């Protein structure tokens, strides 16, 4: 079986001990072929100095204009076949995550440029099942969390994030890959990451910004007719209520198990 080289990018700024814990979750992997790129925006809290000493860790310390600019800077240092972005406070789900991902990619006949899986959300103590079928409606509604997406390095180097989108640049990037580049993401039946929850994009201010950016981005990639149909379908399927259930710590686990069962019954 072919062994892929994975580049794991961790962007940080004054992240405290979360940076070390995220990096340690990567270093615990049983799969050996990976590198860790830490892009630090000139932290002053000593978090970078606390990193373990390991030849697989490469640190880039320079100023940036935000998260997505930092991610773009980090891409230039990657030498792997596929790139995964983890935020500080996020961990690879278990010690065999990269081993499982490599096995999936190496044996997949589709050989696509984006592979993605599921994520465990610690804030609601539940595994969040990703939509196994990506189409235009799925792109409008909700793309997979970027912490579960393995992007071909060549794709990332030809299509950068657009930092003018302060919250939704990863969303814009995914839609660009799908609609413009014709990439067809492949779902892996693997839980990839453990997500901290309550991050940068989920503050009250950024939730409003996220909605504005979503409207702007979808207009760039979808027709007015598509957007009207998708909005109507979400309203009729009680999407706001289902979102509240999914975000409820007591109900999220049950909700996501039901969602997984529906996916399986559809043959995914």
């Amino acid at each position: 079986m072919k062994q892929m080289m994975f580049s794991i990018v961790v962007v940080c700024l004054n992240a405290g001990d979360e940076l070390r814990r995220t990096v340690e979750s990567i270093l615990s992997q049983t799969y050996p072929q990976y590198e860790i790129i830490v892009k630090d925006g000139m932290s002053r809290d000593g978090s970078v100095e606390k990193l373990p000493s390991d030849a697989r860790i490469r640190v880039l310390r320079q100023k940036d204009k935000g998260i997505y600019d930092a991610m773009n800077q980090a891409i230039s240092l990657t030498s792997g076949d596929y790139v995964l972005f983890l935020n500080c406070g996020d961990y690879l789900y278990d010690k065999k995550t990269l081993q499982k991902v490599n096995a999936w990619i190496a044996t997949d006949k589709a050989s696509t440029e984006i592979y993605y899986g599921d994520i465990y959300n610690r804030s609601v103590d539940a595994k969040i099942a990703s939509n196994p079928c990506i189409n235009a409606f799925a792109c409008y509604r909700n793309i997979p969390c970027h912490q579960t997406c393995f992007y071909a390095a060549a794709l990332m180097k030809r299509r950068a994030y657009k930092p003018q989108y302060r919250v939704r640049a990863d969303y814009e990037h995914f839609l660009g890959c799908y609609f413009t580049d014709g990439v067809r993401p492949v779902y892996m039946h693997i839980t990839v990451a453990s997500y901290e929850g309550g991050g940068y994009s989920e503050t009250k201010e950024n939730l409003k910004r996220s909605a504005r950016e979503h409207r702007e981005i979808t207009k760039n990639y979808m027709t007015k007719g598509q957007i009207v149909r998708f909005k109507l379908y979400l309203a009729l399927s009680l999407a706001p209520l289902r979102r509240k259930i999914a975000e409820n710590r007591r109900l999220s686990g049950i909700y996501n198990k039901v969602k997984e069962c529906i996916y399986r019954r559809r043959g995914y």
Side-chain angles (χ1 to χ4, degrees), residues 200-259:
Y200 171 78
S201 64
E202 296 178 31
T203 64
K204 185 175 182 180
E205 177 184 352
N206 282 334
L207 285 172
K208 293 180 180 179
R209 183 187 298 275
S210 175
R212 292 196 300 270
E213 292 184 358
H214 181 272
R215 289 193 293 269
E216 180 179 339
I217 293 165
T218 52
K219 286 179 181 177
N220 292 335
Y221 290 104
M222 302 175 190
T223 66
K224 290 182 179 179
Q226 283 178 310
I227 293 172
V228 170
R229 289 199 308 274
F230 297 157
K231 283 183 177 180
L232 179 60
Y233 182 82
L234 289 175
L236 293 175
S237 62
L238 304 178
L241 174 61
R242 289 187 287 110
R243 186 178 302 111
K244 288 184 178 180
I245 294 172
E247 293 172 353
N248 184 286
R249 188 175 180 87
R250 290 182 296 175
L251 301 176
S252 183
I254 298 171
Y255 175 81
N256 277 282
K257 286 179 181 177
V258 171
K259 187 168 68 171

Side-chain angles (χ1 to χ4, degrees), residues 24-194:
E24 286 176 347
S25 85
I26 306 170
L27 293 174
S28 71
Q29 292 296 296
T30 58
Y31 184 81
Q33 295 294 102
Y34 65 85
E35 63 180 1
I36 304 170
I37 309 297
V38 174
K39 167 58 188 72
D40 177 64
M42 303 304 292
S43 294
R44 297 180 179 179
D45 65 347
S47 53
V48 175
E49 288 73 18
K50 295 178 183 178
L51 286 172
S53 178
D54 193 293
R56 291 168 294 187
I57 302 173
R58 300 168 65 190
V59 178
L60 172 62
R61 302 195 71 180
Q62 64 182 35
K63 291 184 178 180
D64 54 63
K65 298 177 182 178
I67 294 173
Y68 296 108
D69 181 41
M71 292 161 77
N72 285 338
Q73 291 179 14
I75 287 297
S76 64
L77 293 184
T78 60
S79 58
D81 300 299
Y82 283 85
V83 180
L84 173 72
F85 296 93
L86 287 180
N87 296 334
C88 287
D90 300 334
Y91 315 132
L92 290 176
Y93 185 67
D94 61 38
K95 294 181 179 181
K96 293 186 177 181
T97 297
L98 292 183
Q99 180 180 327
K100 296 172 189 175
V101 172
N102 179 75
W104 193 285
I105 296 176
T107 57
D108 180 51
K109 295 180 180 179
S111 188
T112 188
E113 290 185 294
I114 302 177
Y115 289 90
Y116 69 99
D118 299 326
I119 196 163
Y120 181 82
N121 188 330
R122 300 199 302 276
S123 69
V124 294
D125 190 25
K127 185 183 80 170
I128 310 300
S130 295
N131 189 338
C133 179
I134 300 297
N135 51 29
F137 174 63
C139 285
Y140 180 85
R141 182 187 179 192
N142 195 19
I143 63 168
C145 290
H146 81 269
Q147 296 98 322
T148 76
C149 295
F150 287 80
Y151 295 90
L155 172 64
M156 295 306 304
K157 289 177 180 178
R158 73 172 184 264
R159 175 177 283 279
Y161 291 109
K162 296 181 179 179
Q164 65 264 35
Y165 297 111
R166 292 177 57 185
V167 180
R168 286 270 189 171
D170 54 327
Y171 178 70
E172 191 283 332
H173 182 272
F174 193 96
L175 266 59
C177 292
Y178 182 86
F179 288 103
T180 303
D181 295 350
V183 177
R184 292 298 174 259
V186 168
Y187 171 68
M188 305 178 292
H189 293 267
I190 299 168
T191 304
V192 173
S194 172

